[in-house]
Amino acid sequence: MSATTGASMYLVLADGKLMVAGLNSTGQLGLGNITQQTSYVQSNTNVRQVEAWSGTAILVKEDNTAFASGTNTYGVLGQGNTTQLNIWTAIKTTGGVPIANADRVVINAGLQAETAAIITTSKKIMVAGRNATYELGLSNVTQQNFYIEPTITQAPFQGLVKDVVLTGNLSGVNFVLTTTGDVWSAGRNANGNRGIGNITAPTVALYGNWVKMNYPNLIVNIKGMGLDNNSYI
């Protein structure tokens, strides 16, 4: 299994070793430095999954802990701040508690790693990062520098999460696919790509939480594009 940001490369071997190479200008390879790597070197062990985008990398280990390194402009490294890191550091929830129930991580595909979500072992989501258009579905527009789990009121699908699509700043809308085939969205709606029957901009009182899409519960796959404000099912 591998992940790439184009200039940086991450390989997860069968034994869980993480091998990295390439650009490391923001410490995204997690080696404790910002030195470019022209040969593959070991960066971590017992890794199940790694996701990387635009100088930010997040991994999930076999023991369900999560670690991050690299650019942290929007707080997606989950440290309670926006400080760049060059070594793998445990991702934390509100209060600085390390996450211990991560199953999979998703990072948006945009100009930067602006938002990220962790799907937990109990099929819930935890979110962090940019939130200027209510895209984290937390009833506010506060940037989240720790990972936070939306409440069941904010996200009625908690416990049923199958997949997440994060589109980033240019689209400003995120989607969740559930195990029952429903799609929920949060965030900007300027082009109607949330599929809720209008182009109304979200507010705290209106669409500030996650909203169920107007479509039968038969959806098996979703794809959101951050660059063109379109969404596909």
Side-chain angles (χ1 to χ4, degrees), residues 74-138:
Y74 293 93
V76 297
L77 301 190
Q79 303 301 309
N81 55 48
T82 56
T83 303
Q84 180 176 302
L85 297 173
N86 61 26
I87 194 164
W88 297 109
T89 305
I91 291 176
K92 303 171 181 68
T93 63
T94 303
V97 180
I99 290 175
N101 62 341
D103 181 64
R104 186 160 55 92
V105 64
V106 179
I107 301 176
N108 75 274
L111 298 180
Q112 296 185 55
E114 295 152 350
T115 57
I118 288 176
I119 301 175
T120 71
T121 52
S122 57
K123 298 187 184 303
K124 298 180 179 180
I125 61 164
M126 304 182 75
V127 291
R130 183 186 182 275
N131 194 30
T133 58
Y134 298 91
E135 60 262 53
L136 299 184
L138 299 171

Coordinates of all heavy atoms in Angstrom, one line a residue, residues 74-138:
Y74 N -3.8 24.5 9.1 CA -5.2 24.5 9.5 C -5.5 23.5 10.7 O -6.6 23.2 11.0 CB -6.1 24.1 8.4 CG -6.1 25.1 7.3 CD1 -5.2 25.0 6.2 CD2 -7.0 26.2 7.3 CE1 -5.3 26.0 5.2 CE2 -7.1 27.1 6.4 CZ -6.2 27.1 5.3 OH -6.2 28.0 4.3
G75 N -4.4 23.1 11.4 CA -4.6 22.3 12.6 C -4.9 20.8 12.4 O -5.2 20.2 13.4
V76 N -4.7 20.3 11.2 CA -5.1 18.9 11.0 C -4.1 17.9 11.6 O -4.4 16.7 11.6 CB -5.2 18.6 9.5 CG1 -6.3 19.4 8.8 CG2 -3.9 18.8 8.7
L77 N -3.0 18.4 12.2 CA -2.1 17.4 12.9 C -2.6 17.1 14.3 O -2.1 16.2 14.9 CB -0.7 18.0 13.0 CG 0.0 18.3 11.6 CD1 1.5 18.6 11.9 CD2 -0.1 17.2 10.6
G78 N -3.7 17.8 14.7 CA -4.3 17.5 15.9 C -3.5 17.7 17.2 O -3.5 16.9 18.1
Q79 N -2.8 18.9 17.2 CA -2.0 19.2 18.4 C -2.5 20.3 19.2 O -1.8 20.8 20.2 CB -0.5 19.5 17.9 CG 0.1 18.4 17.1 CD 0.2 17.1 17.8 OE1 0.7 17.0 19.0 NE2 -0.3 16.0 17.2
G80 N -3.6 20.9 18.8 CA -4.2 22.0 19.5 C -3.5 23.3 19.1 O -3.7 24.4 19.7
N81 N -2.7 23.3 18.0 CA -2.0 24.5 17.5 C -1.9 24.3 16.0 O -2.4 23.4 15.4 CB -0.7 24.6 18.2 CG 0.2 23.4 18.1 OD1 0.4 22.8 17.0 ND2 0.7 22.9 19.2
T82 N -1.1 25.3 15.4 CA -0.9 25.2 14.0 C 0.6 25.1 13.7 O 1.1 25.6 12.7 CB -1.4 26.5 13.3 OG1 -0.9 27.6 13.9 CG2 -3.0 26.5 13.3
T83 N 1.4 24.5 14.6 CA 2.8 24.4 14.5 C 3.2 23.2 13.6 O 2.7 22.1 13.8 CB 3.4 24.2 15.9 OG1 3.1 25.3 16.8 CG2 5.0 24.1 15.8
Q84 N 4.1 23.5 12.7 CA 4.6 22.5 11.8 C 5.4 21.4 12.6 O 6.1 21.8 13.5 CB 5.5 23.1 10.7 CG 6.1 22.2 9.7 CD 6.8 22.9 8.7 OE1 6.3 23.8 8.0 NE2 8.1 22.7 8.5
L85 N 5.3 20.2 12.2 CA 6.1 19.1 12.9 C 7.0 18.4 11.8 O 6.6 18.2 10.7 CB 5.1 18.1 13.5 CG 4.2 18.6 14.6 CD1 3.2 17.5 15.0 CD2 5.1 19.0 15.8
N86 N 8.1 17.8 12.3 CA 8.9 17.1 11.4 C 9.2 15.6 11.9 O 10.0 14.9 11.3 CB 10.3 17.8 11.1 CG 11.1 18.0 12.3 OD1 11.0 17.2 13.3 ND2 12.0 19.0 12.3
I87 N 8.4 15.2 12.9 CA 8.5 13.9 13.4 C 7.1 13.4 13.7 O 6.2 14.2 14.1 CB 9.5 13.8 14.6 CG1 9.8 12.4 14.9 CG2 8.8 14.5 15.8 CD1 11.0 12.2 15.9
W88 N 6.9 12.1 13.6 CA 5.5 11.6 13.8 C 5.1 11.8 15.3 O 5.8 11.4 16.2 CB 5.5 10.1 13.5 CG 5.7 9.7 12.1 CD1 6.9 9.2 11.6 CD2 4.9 10.0 11.0 NE1 6.8 9.0 10.2 CE2 5.5 9.5 9.8 CE3 3.6 10.6 10.9 CZ2 5.0 9.6 8.5 CZ3 3.0 10.7 9.6 CH2 3.7 10.2 8.5
T89 N 4.0 12.5 15.4 CA 3.5 12.8 16.8 C 2.0 12.4 16.9 O 1.2 12.5 16.0 CB 3.6 14.4 16.9 OG1 4.9 14.8 16.7 CG2 3.2 14.8 18.3
A90 N 1.7 11.9 18.1 CA 0.4 11.3 18.3 C -0.7 12.4 18.1 O -0.6 13.5 18.6 CB 0.3 10.8 19.7
I91 N -1.7 12.1 17.3 CA -2.9 13.0 17.1 C -3.8 12.9 18.3 O -4.0 11.9 18.9 CB -3.7 12.5 15.9 CG1 -2.8 12.8 14.6 CG2 -5.0 13.3 15.8 CD1 -3.5 12.3 13.3
K92 N -4.3 14.1 18.7 CA -5.0 14.2 20.0 C -6.5 14.8 19.8 O -6.8 15.5 18.8 CB -4.3 15.1 20.9 CG -2.8 14.6 21.2 CD -2.1 15.7 22.0 CE -0.6 15.2 22.2 NZ 0.2 15.1 21.0
T93 N -7.3 14.4 20.7 CA -8.7 14.9 20.8 C -8.6 16.2 21.7 O -7.6 16.5 22.3 CB -9.6 13.9 21.3 OG1 -9.3 13.6 22.7 CG2 -9.6 12.6 20.5
T94 N -9.8 16.8 21.8 CA -9.9 17.9 22.7 C -9.4 17.6 24.1 O -9.8 16.5 24.7 CB -11.4 18.4 22.8 OG1 -11.8 18.7 21.5 CG2 -11.5 19.6 23.7
G95 N -8.6 18.4 24.7 CA -8.0 18.2 26.0 C -6.7 17.5 25.9 O -6.0 17.2 26.9
G96 N -6.2 17.3 24.7 CA -4.9 16.7 24.5 C -4.8 15.2 24.7 O -3.7 14.7 25.0
V97 N -5.9 14.5 24.6 CA -5.9 13.0 24.8 C -5.5 12.3 23.5 O -6.2 12.6 22.5 CB -7.2 12.6 25.3 CG1 -7.2 11.0 25.5 CG2 -7.6 13.3 26.6
P98 N -4.5 11.5 23.4 CA -4.2 10.8 22.2 C -5.3 9.9 21.7 O -5.9 9.3 22.5 CB -2.9 10.0 22.5 CG -2.3 10.7 23.7 CD -3.5 11.3 24.5
I99 N -5.5 9.9 20.4 CA -6.6 9.0 19.8 C -6.1 7.6 19.8 O -5.0 7.3 19.5 CB -6.9 9.5 18.4 CG1 -7.6 10.8 18.4 CG2 -7.7 8.5 17.6 CD1 -7.8 11.4 17.0
A100 N -7.0 6.7 20.3 CA -6.6 5.3 20.4 C -7.7 4.4 19.7 O -7.6 3.2 19.9 CB -6.5 4.9 21.9
N101 N -8.6 5.0 19.0 CA -9.6 4.2 18.3 C -9.8 4.5 16.8 O -10.9 4.4 16.2 CB -11.0 4.4 19.0 CG -11.5 5.8 18.9 OD1 -10.7 6.7 18.7 ND2 -12.7 6.0 19.2
A102 N -8.6 4.8 16.2 CA -8.7 5.2 14.8 C -8.7 3.9 13.9 O -7.9 3.0 14.1 CB -7.5 6.0 14.4
D103 N -9.6 3.9 12.9 CA -9.6 2.8 11.9 C -9.0 3.3 10.6 O -8.2 2.5 10.0 CB -11.0 2.3 11.7 CG -11.1 1.2 10.7 OD1 -10.5 0.1 11.1 OD2 -11.7 1.3 9.7
R104 N -9.3 4.5 10.2 CA -8.9 5.0 8.9 C -8.9 6.5 8.9 O -9.7 7.1 9.6 CB -9.8 4.5 7.8 CG -9.3 4.8 6.4 CD -10.0 3.8 5.4 NE -11.4 3.8 5.5 CZ -12.2 4.6 4.7 NH1 -11.7 5.5 3.9 NH2 -13.5 4.5 4.9
V105 N -8.0 7.1 8.1 CA -7.9 8.6 8.1 C -8.2 9.0 6.6 O -7.8 8.3 5.7 CB -6.5 9.1 8.6 CG1 -5.4 8.6 7.7 CG2 -6.5 10.6 8.7
V106 N -8.8 10.2 6.5 CA -9.0 10.8 5.2 C -8.6 12.3 5.3 O -8.8 13.0 6.2 CB -10.5 10.8 4.8 CG1 -10.8 11.5 3.5 CG2 -11.1 9.4 4.8
I107 N -7.8 12.7 4.2 CA -7.4 14.1 4.1 C -8.0 14.7 2.8 O -8.1 14.0 1.8 CB -5.8 14.2 4.0 CG1 -5.2 13.6 5.3 CG2 -5.4 15.7 3.9 CD1 -3.7 13.6 5.2
N108 N -8.4 15.9 2.9 CA -8.9 16.5 1.7 C -7.9 16.6 0.5 O -6.7 16.7 0.8 CB -9.5 17.9 1.9 CG -8.4 19.0 2.1 OD1 -7.9 19.2 3.2 ND2 -8.1 19.7 1.0
A109 N -8.4 16.6 -0.7 CA -7.5 16.9 -1.9 C -7.8 18.3 -2.3 O -8.8 18.5 -3.1 CB -7.8 15.8 -2.9
G110 N -7.0 19.2 -1.9 CA -7.1 20.6 -2.3 C -5.8 21.2 -2.5 O -4.8 20.6 -2.7
L111 N -5.7 22.6 -2.3 CA -4.4 23.2 -2.5 C -3.5 22.9 -1.3 O -2.3 22.9 -1.4 CB -4.7 24.7 -2.6 CG -5.5 25.2 -3.8 CD1 -5.6 26.7 -3.8 CD2 -4.8 24.8 -5.1
Q112 N -4.1 22.7 -0.1 CA -3.4 22.3 1.1 C -4.2 21.2 1.8 O -5.4 21.0 1.5 CB -3.2 23.5 2.0 CG -2.4 24.6 1.5 CD -2.1 25.7 2.6 OE1 -1.6 25.4 3.7 NE2 -2.5 26.9 2.2
A113 N -3.6 20.6 2.9 CA -4.3 19.7 3.7 C -5.1 20.6 4.7 O -4.6 21.0 5.7 CB -3.4 18.8 4.5
E114 N -6.3 20.9 4.4 CA -7.1 21.9 5.1 C -8.1 21.2 6.1 O -8.3 21.8 7.2 CB -7.9 22.8 4.1 CG -7.0 23.6 3.3 CD -7.7 23.9 1.9 OE1 -8.7 23.3 1.6 OE2 -7.1 24.8 1.2
T115 N -8.6 20.1 5.8 CA -9.5 19.3 6.7 C -9.1 17.9 6.7 O -8.6 17.4 5.7 CB -11.0 19.5 6.3 OG1 -11.1 19.0 4.9 CG2 -11.4 20.9 6.4
A116 N -9.3 17.2 7.8 CA -9.1 15.8 7.9 C -10.1 15.1 8.7 O -10.7 15.8 9.6 CB -7.7 15.5 8.4
A117 N -10.3 13.8 8.5 CA -11.3 13.1 9.3 C -10.7 11.7 9.7 O -10.0 11.1 8.8 CB -12.6 12.9 8.6
I118 N -11.0 11.3 10.9 CA -10.7 9.9 11.3 C -12.0 9.1 11.4 O -12.9 9.6 12.1 CB -9.9 9.9 12.6 CG1 -8.5 10.5 12.3 CG2 -9.8 8.5 13.2 CD1 -7.6 10.6 13.5
I119 N -12.0 8.0 10.7 CA -13.1 7.1 10.9 C -12.7 6.1 12.1 O -11.7 5.5 12.0 CB -13.5 6.3 9.7 CG1 -13.8 7.3 8.5 CG2 -14.6 5.3 9.9 CD1 -14.0 6.6 7.2
T120 N -13.5 6.1 13.1 CA -13.1 5.3 14.3 C -13.5 3.8 14.1 O -14.3 3.5 13.2 CB -13.7 5.9 15.6 OG1 -15.1 5.6 15.5 CG2 -13.5 7.4 15.7
T121 N -13.0 3.0 15.1 CA -13.4 1.6 15.0 C -14.8 1.3 15.3 O -15.4 0.3 15.0 CB -12.5 0.9 16.1 OG1 -12.7 1.5 17.4 CG2 -11.0 0.9 15.7
S122 N -15.5 2.3 15.9 CA -17.0 2.2 16.1 C -17.8 2.9 15.0 O -19.0 3.2 15.2 CB -17.3 2.8 17.5 OG -16.9 4.2 17.6
K123 N -17.2 3.2 13.9 CA -17.8 3.7 12.7 C -18.4 5.1 12.9 O -19.5 5.5 12.4 CB -18.9 2.8 12.1 CG -18.4 1.5 11.7 CD -19.5 0.6 11.0 CE -19.0 -0.8 10.7 NZ -17.8 -0.7 9.8
K124 N -17.7 5.9 13.7 CA -18.0 7.3 13.9 C -16.9 8.2 13.2 O -15.8 7.6 12.8 CB -18.0 7.7 15.4 CG -19.2 6.9 16.1 CD -19.2 7.3 17.6 CE -20.3 6.6 18.3 NZ -20.4 7.0 19.7
I125 N -17.1 9.5 13.1 CA -16.0 10.3 12.6 C -15.6 11.3 13.6 O -16.4 11.7 14.5 CB -16.5 11.1 11.3 CG1 -17.7 12.0 11.6 CG2 -16.7 10.2 10.1 CD1 -17.9 13.1 10.5
M126 N -14.3 11.7 13.5 CA -13.7 12.8 14.3 C -13.1 13.7 13.2 O -12.5 13.2 12.2 CB -12.7 12.3 15.2 CG -13.2 11.2 16.2 SD -11.9 10.7 17.4 CE -11.9 12.1 18.5
V127 N -13.3 15.0 13.4 CA -12.9 15.9 12.4 C -11.9 17.0 12.9 O -12.0 17.3 14.1 CB -14.1 16.6 11.7 CG1 -14.9 15.6 10.9 CG2 -15.0 17.2 12.8
A128 N -11.1 17.6 12.1 CA -10.3 18.7 12.5 C -9.9 19.5 11.2 O -10.1 19.1 10.1 CB -9.0 18.1 13.1
G129 N -9.5 20.8 11.5 CA -9.1 21.7 10.4 C -10.0 22.8 10.1 O -10.7 23.3 11.0
R130 N -9.9 23.3 8.9 CA -10.6 24.4 8.4 C -12.1 24.2 8.6 O -12.6 23.1 8.3 CB -10.3 24.7 6.9 CG -11.0 25.9 6.4 CD -10.7 26.0 4.9 NE -11.3 27.2 4.3 CZ -12.5 27.4 3.9 NH1 -13.4 26.3 4.0 NH2 -13.0 28.5 3.4
N131 N -12.8 25.3 9.0 CA -14.3 25.2 9.2 C -15.0 26.5 8.9 O -16.0 26.7 9.5 CB -14.5 24.8 10.7 CG -15.9 24.3 11.0 OD1 -16.5 23.7 10.2 ND2 -16.3 24.5 12.2
A132 N -14.5 27.2 8.0 CA -15.0 28.6 7.7 C -16.4 28.5 7.1 O -17.1 29.6 7.2 CB -14.0 29.3 6.8
T133 N -16.8 27.4 6.5 CA -18.1 27.3 5.9 C -19.0 26.2 6.5 O -19.8 25.6 5.8 CB -18.0 27.1 4.3 OG1 -17.3 25.9 4.1 CG2 -17.3 28.3 3.7
Y134 N -18.7 25.9 7.8 CA -19.5 24.9 8.5 C -19.2 23.5 8.0 O -20.0 22.6 8.3 CB -21.0 25.2 8.5 CG -21.4 26.5 9.1 CD1 -21.5 27.6 8.3 CD2 -21.8 26.6 10.5 CE1 -22.0 28.8 8.9 CE2 -22.2 27.7 11.0 CZ -22.3 28.9 10.2 OH -22.7 30.1 10.8
E135 N -18.1 23.3 7.3 CA -17.9 22.1 6.6 C -17.5 20.9 7.6 O -17.6 19.7 7.2 CB -16.7 22.2 5.6 CG -15.4 22.6 6.1 CD -15.1 24.1 5.9 OE1 -16.0 24.9 6.3 OE2 -14.1 24.5 5.4
L136 N -17.3 21.2 8.8 CA -17.1 20.1 9.8 C -18.4 19.7 10.5 O -18.4 18.7 11.3 CB -16.0 20.5 10.9 CG -14.6 20.8 10.3 CD1 -13.7 21.1 11.5 CD2 -14.1 19.7 9.4
G137 N -19.4 20.4 10.2 CA -20.8 20.1 10.7 C -20.9 20.2 12.2 O -21.5 19.3 12.9
L138 N -20.2 21.2 12.8 CA -20.2 21.3 14.3 C -21.0 22.5 14.8 O -20.9 22.9 15.9 CB -18.7 21.5 14.7 CG -17.8 20.3 14.4 CD1 -16.4 20.7 14.7 CD2 -18.2 19.1 15.2

